[in-house]
Amino acid sequence: MSRRDMGRAAAIRPLRDVPGWDDEADVVVVGLGAAGACGALAARSVDADVLALERASGGGGTSAMSTGQIYLGGGTPIQEKCGFEDSPEEMYKYLMASCGPGEDEPKIRLFCDDCVEHFHWLVAQGVPFKETFYGDGSYTPTDDCLSYSGSELAWPYRDIAMPAPRGHTVQQESIEAGGMLMRRLLEAVERSGTRIQVDTLCETLVVDEERRVVGVVAKVEGVVRHYRARGGVVLAAGGFINNREMVDRYAPLLRKCKMRLACDGDDGRGIRMGMGAGAEAMRMETASIVLPFTVPKGLIRGVMVNRQGQRFINEDAYQTVVGEAALHAQGGQVYLILDDAIFERPFPPTEIAAVGETFEELERELGAPEGSLQQTLELYNRHAERGEDPVFHKDSPYVVPLVTPPFAALDYTTDTAIWAVFTMGGLRTTTEGEALTPDGEVITGLYAAGRTTSGLAAQGYSSGLSLADGTFFGRRAGRAAAARARDQERGR
Ligand SMILES: Cc1cc2nc3c(=O)[nH]c(=O)nc-3n(C[C@H](O)[C@H](O)[C@H](O)COP(=O)(O)OP(=O)(O)OC[C@H]3O[C@@H](n4cnc5c(N)ncnc54)[C@H](O)[C@@H]3O)c2cc1C
């Protein structure tokens, strides 16, 4: 296959060309990360025969590499225990405002309404959460659970919906929380009686004369195998950040970001298989774009400017929201201005682009147009003296005048800083995980979940939404495929 073909829809295999089935099941799940595991568990819970095919030598995927934060709310027991009020309605208002325009309203509605149930379901599978709040930022380096993981406290969202922390990190110290999440989910999958086959690279969907998806073609140790799916195939094979041709075609700006948050499997194969069977891929430019400038939290008191020395956003918006704005509208050419009083070494570290005893000196060393940065900082300081930011409405605890020299510009350009990304675009699906054509027709027998699908957020990613929609809609896809298998058996 040529490199250019790697960006295209995968070919399908007509049913008439299948020499015979090597195995069959009610539901065939492709990929055993968080979405696939939840799909398998849901299908098994209604007694479907489930076969999970995983290309790696074990399940886990990117989900196991993650920091295990899941966006959950609407009044979870942990929110209540930690003294935070929340409701499905407030959560809905926040997600509708932050994930759009272009957000998936039906999915957001359902997710908010059933989120507390989903929390209990995860706990029932063995996923542990500690009943504690971590107040020092989104990412929890401890084994604490709850944190603000989006822009809930920032303008304009704090005026649209009652803020509540909704990032629920699985209980495990440090960066191992995703590993713990997947350990527990995979143990549950094994207990459930799902048949798991690893080292199996799925490549193509089998489609019958009526364009229904009836199976999968895979390679096992170089040998081609055919797997029949009586109810449906659930594509849960991750995203496409590791497919250079797809990124060039659909989301070229992401190429500027140094760190890809992904496992080897994130090569877009699942999306391309779905496209081959006629499914639409949508919002393919959408991504979680982490511009990591908020650790330690005091750095939010800095002033983020572009190459022209101008502000473009409130710095207390969530780091992915700032990242999106900085990449899409500023080409990733941004700097964080600090004075000596608020200077702290950032984590992860980045370089200092310029230092000056005055704003003028800093501006000159940074190469910003004459007067531009000086004007920005003078205006900022004038209002900051009263703790106000009438231009971008940064919240008052983070608004302090920058008056103590020397002044520094931290280099957050994509050339220097470690921007981290994963894709959020993918196959268009219903709330039940059914794949849709560009005309909005359901492709019978084809389901998808997780990063193989277009997520809840069309933009404005809040941390934890990927694992949230993958686990939540993965369950629904598995259940729907199992229901179809039952209907088929009854001859409907
Ligand atoms: C360091 C890091 C931190 C992160 N932190 C968070 C966080 O805290 N919260 C959050 O929500 N998100 C986080 N993310 C992103 C999140 O982990 C992923 O977006 C999410 O796990 C995707 O889940 P998934 O089930 O769709 O895919 P995956 O977990 O990647 O599972 C897909 C599986 O499919 C397999 N597969 C792929 N292709 C095939 C094929 N052709 N045939 C068979 N099998 C195949 C893969 O090997 C893989 O096992 C983080 C990511 C990283 C790397």
Side-chain angles (χ1 to χ4, degrees), residues 30-36 53-56 60-63 65-69 200-202 236-238 261-263 265-267 269 273 422 449-452 461 463-468:
V30 175
L32 210 41
L53 305 176
E54 165 58 51
R55 69 189 277 173
T62 308
S63 307
M65 298 160 61
S66 79
T67 42
Q69 189 169 55
T200 303
L201 176 68
C202 298
L261 295 172
C263 70
D266 285 303
D267 66 355
R269 171 68 72 168
M273 287 168 74
F422 60 89
R451 295 293 51 84
T452 302
Y461 184 78
S463 188
L465 276 179
S466 182
L467 288 171

mmCIF file of all heavy atoms in Angstrom, residues 30-36 53-56 60-63 65-69 200-202 236-238 261-263 265-267 269 273 422 449-452 461 463-468, ligand 1:
data_model
loop_
_atom_site.group_PDB
_atom_site.id
_atom_site.type_symbol
_atom_site.label_atom_id
_atom_site.label_comp_id
_atom_site.label_asym_id
_atom_site.label_seq_id
_atom_site.Cartn_x
_atom_site.Cartn_y
_atom_site.Cartn_z
ATOM 1 N N VAL A 30 -13.628 -4.505 17.586
ATOM 2 C CA VAL A 30 -12.286 -4.271 17.025
ATOM 3 C C VAL A 30 -11.567 -3.265 17.915
ATOM 4 O O VAL A 30 -11.892 -2.081 17.940
ATOM 5 C CB VAL A 30 -12.386 -3.729 15.587
ATOM 6 C CG1 VAL A 30 -10.991 -3.381 15.047
ATOM 7 C CG2 VAL A 30 -13.066 -4.746 14.680
ATOM 8 N N GLY A 31 -10.593 -3.733 18.689
ATOM 9 C CA GLY A 31 -9.819 -2.843 19.561
ATOM 10 C C GLY A 31 -10.281 -2.942 21.000
ATOM 11 O O GLY A 31 -11.463 -2.814 21.291
ATOM 12 N N LEU A 32 -9.311 -3.177 21.889
ATOM 13 C CA LEU A 32 -9.659 -3.383 23.296
ATOM 14 C C LEU A 32 -9.038 -2.319 24.199
ATOM 15 O O LEU A 32 -8.304 -2.610 25.126
ATOM 16 C CB LEU A 32 -9.224 -4.800 23.718
ATOM 17 C CG LEU A 32 -10.026 -5.499 24.805
ATOM 18 C CD1 LEU A 32 -11.522 -5.309 24.671
ATOM 19 C CD2 LEU A 32 -9.676 -6.975 24.847
ATOM 20 N N GLY A 33 -9.353 -1.046 23.900
ATOM 21 C CA GLY A 33 -9.075 0.045 24.826
ATOM 22 C C GLY A 33 -10.324 0.254 25.673
ATOM 23 O O GLY A 33 -11.148 -0.663 25.834
ATOM 24 N N ALA A 34 -10.473 1.476 26.197
ATOM 25 C CA ALA A 34 -11.612 1.741 27.084
ATOM 26 C C ALA A 34 -12.945 1.572 26.355
ATOM 27 O O ALA A 34 -13.883 0.955 26.883
ATOM 28 C CB ALA A 34 -11.500 3.153 27.653
ATOM 29 N N ALA A 35 -13.042 2.110 25.128
ATOM 30 C CA ALA A 35 -14.320 2.042 24.409
ATOM 31 C C ALA A 35 -14.672 0.599 24.068
ATOM 32 O O ALA A 35 -15.816 0.160 24.274
ATOM 33 C CB ALA A 35 -14.239 2.901 23.148
ATOM 34 N N GLY A 36 -13.682 -0.143 23.562
ATOM 35 C CA GLY A 36 -13.941 -1.531 23.178
ATOM 36 C C GLY A 36 -14.276 -2.396 24.389
ATOM 37 O O GLY A 36 -15.173 -3.239 24.335
ATOM 38 N N LEU A 53 -11.176 -8.457 19.080
ATOM 39 C CA LEU A 53 -9.945 -8.618 18.307
ATOM 40 C C LEU A 53 -9.039 -7.423 18.560
ATOM 41 O O LEU A 53 -9.442 -6.275 18.353
ATOM 42 C CB LEU A 53 -10.280 -8.705 16.810
ATOM 43 C CG LEU A 53 -11.284 -9.794 16.409
ATOM 44 C CD1 LEU A 53 -11.600 -9.719 14.914
ATOM 45 C CD2 LEU A 53 -10.766 -11.188 16.772
ATOM 46 N N GLU A 54 -7.820 -7.689 19.006
ATOM 47 C CA GLU A 54 -6.892 -6.609 19.383
ATOM 48 C C GLU A 54 -5.566 -6.820 18.655
ATOM 49 O O GLU A 54 -5.004 -7.909 18.692
ATOM 50 C CB GLU A 54 -6.701 -6.617 20.908
ATOM 51 C CG GLU A 54 -5.542 -5.822 21.438
ATOM 52 C CD GLU A 54 -5.563 -4.331 21.075
ATOM 53 O OE1 GLU A 54 -6.595 -3.683 21.295
ATOM 54 O OE2 GLU A 54 -4.540 -3.845 20.556
ATOM 55 N N ARG A 55 -5.066 -5.751 18.040
ATOM 56 C CA ARG A 55 -3.839 -5.902 17.255
ATOM 57 C C ARG A 55 -2.579 -6.057 18.113
ATOM 58 O O ARG A 55 -1.617 -6.692 17.697
ATOM 59 C CB ARG A 55 -3.664 -4.725 16.301
ATOM 60 C CG ARG A 55 -3.360 -3.428 17.002
ATOM 61 C CD ARG A 55 -3.414 -2.249 16.052
ATOM 62 N NE ARG A 55 -2.182 -2.082 15.306
ATOM 63 C CZ ARG A 55 -2.025 -1.199 14.317
ATOM 64 N NH1 ARG A 55 -3.030 -0.432 13.966
ATOM 65 N NH2 ARG A 55 -0.892 -1.076 13.702
ATOM 66 N N ALA A 56 -2.580 -5.435 19.302
ATOM 67 C CA ALA A 56 -1.413 -5.546 20.189
ATOM 68 C C ALA A 56 -1.459 -6.903 20.905
ATOM 69 O O ALA A 56 -2.396 -7.675 20.745
ATOM 70 C CB ALA A 56 -1.413 -4.402 21.184
ATOM 71 N N GLY A 60 -5.684 -2.533 26.237
ATOM 72 C CA GLY A 60 -5.229 -1.344 26.979
ATOM 73 C C GLY A 60 -5.217 -0.108 26.110
ATOM 74 O O GLY A 60 -5.818 0.901 26.445
ATOM 75 N N GLY A 61 -4.495 -0.176 24.993
ATOM 76 C CA GLY A 61 -4.441 0.946 24.048
ATOM 77 C C GLY A 61 -3.973 2.236 24.694
ATOM 78 O O GLY A 61 -3.265 2.231 25.715
ATOM 79 N N THR A 62 -4.358 3.336 24.093
ATOM 80 C CA THR A 62 -3.991 4.648 24.629
ATOM 81 C C THR A 62 -4.637 4.863 25.993
ATOM 82 O O THR A 62 -4.102 5.562 26.851
ATOM 83 C CB THR A 62 -4.424 5.767 23.657
ATOM 84 O OG1 THR A 62 -3.915 5.457 22.368
ATOM 85 C CG2 THR A 62 -3.887 7.117 24.077
ATOM 86 N N SER A 63 -5.790 4.233 26.196
ATOM 87 C CA SER A 63 -6.496 4.390 27.479
ATOM 88 C C SER A 63 -5.581 4.005 28.640
ATOM 89 O O SER A 63 -5.596 4.651 29.694
ATOM 90 C CB SER A 63 -7.752 3.524 27.496
ATOM 91 O OG SER A 63 -8.551 3.788 26.373
ATOM 92 N N MET A 65 -2.395 4.253 28.735
ATOM 93 C CA MET A 65 -1.275 5.209 28.876
ATOM 94 C C MET A 65 -1.754 6.529 29.489
ATOM 95 O O MET A 65 -0.946 7.390 29.827
ATOM 96 C CB MET A 65 -0.708 5.553 27.489
ATOM 97 C CG MET A 65 -0.129 4.393 26.727
ATOM 98 S SD MET A 65 -0.045 4.775 24.953
ATOM 99 C CE MET A 65 1.041 6.185 24.940
ATOM 100 N N SER A 66 -3.053 6.692 29.581
ATOM 101 C CA SER A 66 -3.615 7.999 29.954
ATOM 102 C C SER A 66 -3.489 8.263 31.451
ATOM 103 O O SER A 66 -3.092 7.386 32.217
ATOM 104 C CB SER A 66 -5.083 8.066 29.547
ATOM 105 O OG SER A 66 -5.886 7.378 30.485
ATOM 106 N N THR A 67 -3.873 9.493 31.823
ATOM 107 C CA THR A 67 -3.862 9.827 33.237
ATOM 108 C C THR A 67 -5.213 9.534 33.898
ATOM 109 O O THR A 67 -5.460 9.955 35.023
ATOM 110 C CB THR A 67 -3.459 11.306 33.442
ATOM 111 O OG1 THR A 67 -4.103 12.101 32.465
ATOM 112 C CG2 THR A 67 -1.970 11.492 33.295
ATOM 113 N N GLY A 68 -6.056 8.806 33.189
ATOM 114 C CA GLY A 68 -7.235 8.210 33.810
ATOM 115 C C GLY A 68 -8.262 9.176 34.363
ATOM 116 O O GLY A 68 -8.968 8.861 35.325
ATOM 117 N N GLN A 69 -8.359 10.335 33.747
ATOM 118 C CA GLN A 69 -9.356 11.302 34.210
ATOM 119 C C GLN A 69 -10.602 11.178 33.329
ATOM 120 O O GLN A 69 -10.507 11.246 32.105
ATOM 121 C CB GLN A 69 -8.785 12.706 34.111
ATOM 122 C CG GLN A 69 -9.658 13.764 34.763
ATOM 123 C CD GLN A 69 -8.900 15.080 34.874
ATOM 124 O OE1 GLN A 69 -8.397 15.592 33.879
ATOM 125 N NE2 GLN A 69 -8.804 15.614 36.063
ATOM 126 N N THR A 200 -4.004 -9.549 16.501
ATOM 127 C CA THR A 200 -4.923 -9.694 15.373
ATOM 128 C C THR A 200 -5.193 -8.313 14.780
ATOM 129 O O THR A 200 -5.908 -7.508 15.381
ATOM 130 C CB THR A 200 -6.242 -10.349 15.861
ATOM 131 O OG1 THR A 200 -5.921 -11.611 16.464
ATOM 132 C CG2 THR A 200 -7.224 -10.539 14.724
ATOM 133 N N LEU A 201 -4.610 -8.052 13.644
ATOM 134 C CA LEU A 201 -4.738 -6.726 13.019
ATOM 135 C C LEU A 201 -5.923 -6.728 12.055
ATOM 136 O O LEU A 201 -5.867 -7.336 10.982
ATOM 137 C CB LEU A 201 -3.445 -6.386 12.258
ATOM 138 C CG LEU A 201 -3.487 -5.063 11.484
ATOM 139 C CD1 LEU A 201 -3.555 -3.864 12.424
ATOM 140 C CD2 LEU A 201 -2.272 -4.948 10.561
ATOM 141 N N CYS A 202 -6.991 -6.049 12.456
ATOM 142 C CA CYS A 202 -8.177 -5.974 11.590
ATOM 143 C C CYS A 202 -7.900 -4.974 10.472
ATOM 144 O O CYS A 202 -7.346 -3.899 10.714
ATOM 145 C CB CYS A 202 -9.398 -5.530 12.387
ATOM 146 S SG CYS A 202 -9.802 -6.715 13.686
ATOM 147 N N ALA A 236 -13.661 0.096 17.596
ATOM 148 C CA ALA A 236 -13.202 0.869 18.756
ATOM 149 C C ALA A 236 -11.673 0.865 18.735
ATOM 150 O O ALA A 236 -11.012 0.485 19.693
ATOM 151 C CB ALA A 236 -13.739 0.246 20.048
ATOM 152 N N ALA A 237 -11.139 1.294 17.591
ATOM 153 C CA ALA A 237 -9.704 1.123 17.303
ATOM 154 C C ALA A 237 -8.898 2.402 17.472
ATOM 155 O O ALA A 237 -7.801 2.521 16.933
ATOM 156 C CB ALA A 237 -9.550 0.567 15.892
ATOM 157 N N GLY A 238 -9.432 3.368 18.225
ATOM 158 C CA GLY A 238 -8.665 4.582 18.517
ATOM 159 C C GLY A 238 -8.702 5.609 17.388
ATOM 160 O O GLY A 238 -9.454 5.477 16.413
ATOM 161 N N LEU A 261 -0.262 12.128 21.771
ATOM 162 C CA LEU A 261 -0.766 11.350 22.894
ATOM 163 C C LEU A 261 -1.466 10.118 22.330
ATOM 164 O O LEU A 261 -2.673 10.132 22.068
ATOM 165 C CB LEU A 261 -1.734 12.191 23.729
ATOM 166 C CG LEU A 261 -1.107 13.402 24.423
ATOM 167 C CD1 LEU A 261 -2.160 14.286 25.059
ATOM 168 C CD2 LEU A 261 -0.085 12.959 25.474
ATOM 169 N N ALA A 262 -0.725 9.068 22.116
ATOM 170 C CA ALA A 262 -1.282 7.954 21.362
ATOM 171 C C ALA A 262 -0.453 6.692 21.511
ATOM 172 O O ALA A 262 0.744 6.759 21.785
ATOM 173 C CB ALA A 262 -1.321 8.330 19.883
ATOM 174 N N CYS A 263 -1.112 5.543 21.270
ATOM 175 C CA CYS A 263 -0.376 4.286 21.133
ATOM 176 C C CYS A 263 -0.187 4.003 19.642
ATOM 177 O O CYS A 263 -0.747 4.711 18.796
ATOM 178 C CB CYS A 263 -1.133 3.144 21.828
ATOM 179 S SG CYS A 263 -2.655 2.644 20.997
ATOM 180 N N GLY A 265 -1.442 1.941 17.813
ATOM 181 C CA GLY A 265 -2.699 1.614 17.121
ATOM 182 C C GLY A 265 -3.461 2.821 16.617
ATOM 183 O O GLY A 265 -4.408 2.680 15.829
ATOM 184 N N ASP A 266 -3.087 4.030 17.053
ATOM 185 C CA ASP A 266 -3.825 5.230 16.629
ATOM 186 C C ASP A 266 -3.420 5.641 15.212
ATOM 187 O O ASP A 266 -3.000 6.760 14.961
ATOM 188 C CB ASP A 266 -3.570 6.387 17.605
ATOM 189 C CG ASP A 266 -4.321 6.208 18.905
ATOM 190 O OD1 ASP A 266 -5.548 6.084 18.860
ATOM 191 O OD2 ASP A 266 -3.677 6.176 19.967
ATOM 192 N N ASP A 267 -3.568 4.709 14.276
ATOM 193 C CA ASP A 267 -3.174 4.990 12.897
ATOM 194 C C ASP A 267 -4.381 5.156 11.977
ATOM 195 O O ASP A 267 -4.255 5.082 10.761
ATOM 196 C CB ASP A 267 -2.242 3.887 12.368
ATOM 197 C CG ASP A 267 -2.958 2.544 12.249
ATOM 198 O OD1 ASP A 267 -4.134 2.452 12.668
ATOM 199 O OD2 ASP A 267 -2.353 1.598 11.727
ATOM 200 N N ARG A 269 -6.861 3.297 11.328
ATOM 201 C CA ARG A 269 -7.369 2.135 10.594
ATOM 202 C C ARG A 269 -8.883 1.945 10.808
ATOM 203 O O ARG A 269 -9.619 1.670 9.865
ATOM 204 C CB ARG A 269 -6.585 0.890 11.022
ATOM 205 C CG ARG A 269 -7.116 -0.416 10.525
ATOM 206 C CD ARG A 269 -6.984 -0.591 9.039
ATOM 207 N NE ARG A 269 -5.627 -0.822 8.620
ATOM 208 C CZ ARG A 269 -5.294 -1.231 7.381
ATOM 209 N NH1 ARG A 269 -6.225 -1.448 6.483
ATOM 210 N NH2 ARG A 269 -4.042 -1.392 7.059
ATOM 211 N N MET A 273 -11.622 1.924 7.910
ATOM 212 C CA MET A 273 -12.480 0.756 7.660
ATOM 213 C C MET A 273 -13.943 1.195 7.578
ATOM 214 O O MET A 273 -14.681 0.777 6.689
ATOM 215 C CB MET A 273 -12.313 -0.274 8.794
ATOM 216 C CG MET A 273 -11.001 -1.024 8.752
ATOM 217 S SD MET A 273 -10.697 -1.964 10.285
ATOM 218 C CE MET A 273 -11.852 -3.320 10.109
ATOM 219 N N PHE A 422 -4.125 14.753 20.680
ATOM 220 C CA PHE A 422 -4.722 13.544 20.093
ATOM 221 C C PHE A 422 -5.988 13.959 19.357
ATOM 222 O O PHE A 422 -6.554 15.014 19.648
ATOM 223 C CB PHE A 422 -4.996 12.446 21.143
ATOM 224 C CG PHE A 422 -5.943 12.808 22.259
ATOM 225 C CD1 PHE A 422 -7.318 12.617 22.140
ATOM 226 C CD2 PHE A 422 -5.461 13.325 23.451
ATOM 227 C CE1 PHE A 422 -8.179 12.928 23.194
ATOM 228 C CE2 PHE A 422 -6.305 13.639 24.512
ATOM 229 C CZ PHE A 422 -7.681 13.434 24.375
ATOM 230 N N ALA A 449 -17.157 3.482 18.426
ATOM 231 C CA ALA A 449 -17.089 4.207 19.705
ATOM 232 C C ALA A 449 -15.668 4.697 19.952
ATOM 233 O O ALA A 449 -14.719 4.268 19.288
ATOM 234 C CB ALA A 449 -17.525 3.287 20.845
ATOM 235 N N GLY A 450 -15.551 5.593 20.939
ATOM 236 C CA GLY A 450 -14.233 6.109 21.324
ATOM 237 C C GLY A 450 -13.665 6.983 20.225
ATOM 238 O O GLY A 450 -14.385 7.606 19.442
ATOM 239 N N ARG A 451 -12.345 7.006 20.144
ATOM 240 C CA ARG A 451 -11.697 7.949 19.215
ATOM 241 C C ARG A 451 -11.821 7.533 17.752
ATOM 242 O O ARG A 451 -11.375 8.244 16.875
ATOM 243 C CB ARG A 451 -10.225 8.162 19.604
ATOM 244 C CG ARG A 451 -10.052 8.832 20.945
ATOM 245 C CD ARG A 451 -10.536 10.287 20.997
ATOM 246 N NE ARG A 451 -11.870 10.548 20.523
ATOM 247 C CZ ARG A 451 -12.997 10.408 21.250
ATOM 248 N NH1 ARG A 451 -12.968 10.023 22.475
ATOM 249 N NH2 ARG A 451 -14.192 10.657 20.734
ATOM 250 N N THR A 452 -12.423 6.371 17.499
ATOM 251 C CA THR A 452 -12.762 6.031 16.113
ATOM 252 C C THR A 452 -13.960 6.865 15.666
ATOM 253 O O THR A 452 -14.264 6.945 14.486
ATOM 254 C CB THR A 452 -13.051 4.510 16.008
ATOM 255 O OG1 THR A 452 -11.879 3.818 16.460
ATOM 256 C CG2 THR A 452 -13.344 4.072 14.590
ATOM 257 N N TYR A 461 -12.240 21.289 24.154
ATOM 258 C CA TYR A 461 -12.091 20.047 24.918
ATOM 259 C C TYR A 461 -11.844 20.311 26.410
ATOM 260 O O TYR A 461 -11.014 21.143 26.769
ATOM 261 C CB TYR A 461 -10.915 19.252 24.333
ATOM 262 C CG TYR A 461 -10.714 17.910 24.984
ATOM 263 C CD1 TYR A 461 -11.534 16.848 24.656
ATOM 264 C CD2 TYR A 461 -9.721 17.720 25.935
ATOM 265 C CE1 TYR A 461 -11.370 15.606 25.257
ATOM 266 C CE2 TYR A 461 -9.549 16.488 26.537
ATOM 267 C CZ TYR A 461 -10.374 15.432 26.187
ATOM 268 O OH TYR A 461 -10.212 14.217 26.791
ATOM 269 N N SER A 463 -10.708 18.201 29.864
ATOM 270 C CA SER A 463 -10.007 16.951 30.132
ATOM 271 C C SER A 463 -10.957 15.902 30.708
ATOM 272 O O SER A 463 -11.775 16.203 31.571
ATOM 273 C CB SER A 463 -8.847 17.202 31.098
ATOM 274 O OG SER A 463 -8.096 16.023 31.197
ATOM 275 N N GLY A 464 -10.823 14.700 30.202
ATOM 276 C CA GLY A 464 -11.663 13.596 30.667
ATOM 277 C C GLY A 464 -12.795 13.269 29.718
ATOM 278 O O GLY A 464 -13.450 12.231 29.854
ATOM 279 N N LEU A 465 -13.041 14.150 28.738
ATOM 280 C CA LEU A 465 -14.165 13.900 27.830
ATOM 281 C C LEU A 465 -13.907 12.701 26.917
ATOM 282 O O LEU A 465 -14.853 12.039 26.493
ATOM 283 C CB LEU A 465 -14.446 15.138 26.966
ATOM 284 C CG LEU A 465 -15.329 16.218 27.603
ATOM 285 C CD1 LEU A 465 -15.499 17.403 26.655
ATOM 286 C CD2 LEU A 465 -16.700 15.661 27.989
ATOM 287 N N SER A 466 -12.643 12.439 26.585
ATOM 288 C CA SER A 466 -12.390 11.320 25.676
ATOM 289 C C SER A 466 -12.738 9.982 26.340
ATOM 290 O O SER A 466 -13.473 9.177 25.780
ATOM 291 C CB SER A 466 -10.930 11.315 25.210
ATOM 292 O OG SER A 466 -10.729 10.253 24.311
ATOM 293 N N LEU A 467 -12.218 9.768 27.542
ATOM 294 C CA LEU A 467 -12.542 8.516 28.234
ATOM 295 C C LEU A 467 -14.027 8.480 28.594
ATOM 296 O O LEU A 467 -14.636 7.406 28.637
ATOM 297 C CB LEU A 467 -11.688 8.367 29.493
ATOM 298 C CG LEU A 467 -10.210 8.049 29.238
ATOM 299 C CD1 LEU A 467 -9.409 8.133 30.533
ATOM 300 C CD2 LEU A 467 -10.047 6.661 28.612
ATOM 301 N N ALA A 468 -14.611 9.660 28.830
ATOM 302 C CA ALA A 468 -16.032 9.695 29.183
ATOM 303 C C ALA A 468 -16.885 9.241 28.006
ATOM 304 O O ALA A 468 -17.699 8.324 28.129
ATOM 305 C CB ALA A 468 -16.429 11.111 29.613
HETATM 306 C C1 LIG B 1 -0.430 10.525 28.355
HETATM 307 C C2 LIG B 1 -1.904 10.575 28.018
HETATM 308 C C3 LIG B 1 -2.785 11.082 28.939
HETATM 309 C C4 LIG B 1 -4.160 11.129 28.638
HETATM 310 N N1 LIG B 1 -5.024 11.498 29.621
HETATM 311 C C5 LIG B 1 -6.349 11.431 29.387
HETATM 312 C C6 LIG B 1 -7.261 11.646 30.444
HETATM 313 O O1 LIG B 1 -6.877 11.814 31.599
HETATM 314 N N2 LIG B 1 -8.596 11.637 30.154
HETATM 315 C C7 LIG B 1 -9.062 11.386 28.885
HETATM 316 O O2 LIG B 1 -10.282 11.380 28.684
HETATM 317 N N3 LIG B 1 -8.207 11.127 27.875
HETATM 318 C C8 LIG B 1 -6.873 11.117 28.094
HETATM 319 N N4 LIG B 1 -6.020 10.804 27.091
HETATM 320 C C9 LIG B 1 -6.586 10.436 25.783
HETATM 321 C C10 LIG B 1 -7.248 9.061 25.911
HETATM 322 O O3 LIG B 1 -6.366 8.183 26.563
HETATM 323 C C11 LIG B 1 -7.662 8.463 24.564
HETATM 324 O O4 LIG B 1 -8.268 9.438 23.750
HETATM 325 C C12 LIG B 1 -8.637 7.306 24.818
HETATM 326 O O5 LIG B 1 -8.044 6.409 25.724
HETATM 327 C C13 LIG B 1 -9.035 6.589 23.557
HETATM 328 O O6 LIG B 1 -9.760 5.431 23.911
HETATM 329 P P1 LIG B 1 -10.196 4.388 22.787
HETATM 330 O O7 LIG B 1 -10.823 3.242 23.494
HETATM 331 O O8 LIG B 1 -10.967 5.083 21.749
HETATM 332 O O9 LIG B 1 -8.814 3.962 22.108
HETATM 333 P P2 LIG B 1 -7.617 3.103 22.697
HETATM 334 O O10 LIG B 1 -7.591 3.099 24.168
HETATM 335 O O11 LIG B 1 -6.378 3.526 22.006
HETATM 336 O O12 LIG B 1 -7.983 1.638 22.234
HETATM 337 C C14 LIG B 1 -7.962 1.280 20.881
HETATM 338 C C15 LIG B 1 -7.426 -0.143 20.773
HETATM 339 O O13 LIG B 1 -7.611 -0.588 19.441
HETATM 340 C C16 LIG B 1 -6.470 -1.313 19.026
HETATM 341 N N5 LIG B 1 -6.454 -1.270 17.568
HETATM 342 C C17 LIG B 1 -6.162 -0.220 16.771
HETATM 343 N N6 LIG B 1 -6.281 -0.574 15.481
HETATM 344 C C18 LIG B 1 -6.647 -1.875 15.463
HETATM 345 C C19 LIG B 1 -6.899 -2.786 14.405
HETATM 346 N N7 LIG B 1 -6.811 -2.411 13.124
HETATM 347 N N8 LIG B 1 -7.228 -4.058 14.724
HETATM 348 C C20 LIG B 1 -7.314 -4.444 16.024
HETATM 349 N N9 LIG B 1 -7.068 -3.614 17.056
HETATM 350 C C21 LIG B 1 -6.756 -2.339 16.779
HETATM 351 C C22 LIG B 1 -5.330 -0.578 19.699
HETATM 352 O O14 LIG B 1 -4.182 -1.387 19.778
HETATM 353 C C23 LIG B 1 -5.935 -0.241 21.054
HETATM 354 O O15 LIG B 1 -5.713 -1.269 21.984
HETATM 355 C C24 LIG B 1 -4.643 10.709 27.362
HETATM 356 C C25 LIG B 1 -3.739 10.174 26.441
HETATM 357 C C26 LIG B 1 -2.383 10.068 26.781
HETATM 358 C C27 LIG B 1 -1.446 9.398 25.819
#
